[in-house]
Amino acid sequence: MQLFTIFGNPVSHSKSPLMHNLSFSALNYDGVYTRYKLEDGTQLREKFFDLDIIGANITVPHKEYAFKACDVLDEFASKVGAVNTIVKHEGKLYGYNTDAPGFLKAISEFKNIKRILFLGAGGTAQSTSIVLRDAGYEVTILNRSAGRLERYKKEGFSTFTFENFEMKEAFDLVVNMTSAGLEDESLPCPIEILETTLPKAKACVDVIYGKVTPFLKFAQERNKPTKDGSDMLLYQGIIAFEHFTKHQYSFDEIKIHMQKAFIL
Ligand code: NDP
């Protein structure tokens, strides 16, 4: 029996155990996936070995600790500085980032998208902005505070705070990359900025899943096609599962089983 877990704080709300256990069981893979509330991210590596697990997902707030805990990083994880999937192989920890490719796949259903506006500049925005740029999208970052924008500026992204925002050209897709709306009813930016950017957008996406956030509600009231973060969560899970099971199953084969976690 192979053991897997999700490390995070909090982890009680996580859908990952259900997603992975449904897939292990349906594919007759001898694995079990649990959850582990980890308070101190610096202990991640030690816990990984103590628990004798084969693989893990890592969620808020430990993705940067997970990056530091690995012996080997795949090229993309090393570029973005955040790891959400670790697999143990011959005593070494291999780190991957599956959030960003998951997000890329989730937005690929929207066609004719070129210019994307990110509301938010946290860890999720960091990895996804790079994957999107590599895939040919043009990403602009708007954030409440200036501090987090420094890193993006250095990487050549166009950045704004609420105070100096200007829209020179329409954005095709507007994405809520903040946690605004997760546990409160706030919009991710001043309403005036949404009133400027949304009318010209072809679609709007929120990375928060399982609820209609004030941002999604605002977009739906303006008849925009929208999507919450469920597909991103599903796709990052499928890609992690591929790593956990050493690519024995195809993406579509895993998807059939893992997506049942969203209808239970
Ligand atoms: P971080 O803590 O790294 O960053 C949070 C960002 O949100 C910052 O840019 C912060 O701005 C901004 N922010 C927070 N509250 C507000 C507010 N009230 N108004 C405006 N801006 C705000 O978070 P993550 O990047 O890790 O996560 C962001 C979101 O992505 C979360 O909601 C998380 O649940 C979701 N997520 C979804 C996934 C999925 O699979 N669907 C996967 C991973 C994350 P500032 O710099 O000014 O503080």
Side-chain angles (χ1 to χ4, degrees):
M1 168 82 68
Q2 296 185 340
L3 194 59
F4 300 82
T5 200
I6 178 158
F7 289 113
N9 186 13
V11 277
S12 56
H13 69 289
S14 173
K15 259 192 190 299
S16 293
L18 181 61
M19 288 160 57
H20 288 274
N21 285 325
L22 278 172
S23 312
F24 285 141
S25 141
L27 293 164
N28 287 322
Y29 191 91
D30 196 14
V32 167
Y33 190 112
T34 63
R35 60 182 92 227
Y36 192 98
K37 182 177 170 190
L38 183 69
E39 310 226 334
D40 179 0
T42 61
Q43 291 185 350
L44 198 140
R45 186 180 167 92
E46 196 184 322
K47 284 284 167 223
F48 197 107
F49 286 106
D50 282 355
L51 294 169
D52 201 19
I53 53 180
I54 292 289
N57 286 124
I58 298 87
T59 187
V60 176
H62 299 319
K63 291 181 192 179
E64 286 176 12
Y65 289 115
F67 172 84
K68 290 182 190 138
C70 291
D71 300 297
V72 185
L73 292 161
D74 91 328
E75 198 186 327
F76 178 66
S78 103
K79 200 164 160 184
V80 297
V83 159
N84 78 323
T85 301
I86 298 182
V87 182
K88 184 169 76 180
H89 181 61
E90 293 176 350
K92 285 193 172 151
L93 302 188
Y94 288 72
Y96 307 90
N97 182 305
T98 72
D99 285 330
F103 180 78
L104 182 64
K105 176 127 181 97
I107 64 155
S108 64
E109 78 174 45
F110 297 121
K111 302 298 170 208
N112 301 318
I113 302 291
K114 173 82 182 158
R115 287 172 48 79
I116 302 183
L117 177 66
F118 271 17
L119 310 172
T124 312
Q126 170 68 23
S127 58
T128 45
S129 58
I130 292 176
V131 103
L132 289 182
R133 184 159 70 182
D134 287 353
Y137 294 98
E138 222 176 88
V139 185
T140 297
I141 322 278
L142 172 69
N143 198 48
R144 178 175 63 179
S145 59
R148 285 199 209 241
L149 293 172
E150 287 310 312
R151 190 167 176 180
Y152 295 85
K153 271 192 208 157
K154 278 191 202 125
E155 285 164 2
F157 287 98
S158 178
T159 65
F160 296 98
T161 59
F162 296 165
E163 288 70 37
N164 68 7
F165 178 71
E166 359 165 19
M167 187 175 76
K168 293 180 191 128
E169 222 184 303
F171 296 103
D172 303 315
L173 186 70
V174 180
V175 186
N176 178 22
M177 280 283 171
T178 74
S179 36
L182 183 64
E183 281 168 344
D184 56 32
E185 287 303 307
S186 60
L187 285 168
C189 64
I191 199 160
E192 298 74 30
I193 294 183
L194 295 182
E195 279 164 350
T196 311
T197 52
L198 259 62
K200 294 193 172 145
K202 293 176 184 148
C204 297
V205 171
D206 204 312
V207 288
I208 295 170
Y209 60 88
K211 69 178 279 197
V212 180
T213 59
F215 170 73
L216 280 189
K217 187 162 176 275
F218 188 96
Q220 284 166 1
E221 284 167 359
R222 278 142 194 90
N223 300 317
K224 297 293 165 187
T226 60
K227 183 175 247 234
D228 77 354
S230 301
D231 278 355
M232 177 185 181
L233 180 70
L234 171 65
Y235 297 149
Q236 66 72 31
I238 296 173
I239 302 167
F241 193 92
E242 290 178 324
H243 290 302
F244 290 158
T245 55
K246 312 233 168 7
H247 303 273
Q248 300 181 38
Y249 309 101
S250 71
F251 186 96
D252 289 335
E253 203 176 353
I254 303 164
K255 185 178 174 190
I256 294 167
H257 307 297
M258 201 174 268
Q259 68 190 4
K260 292 188 184 136
F262 293 83
I263 47 171
L264 289 173

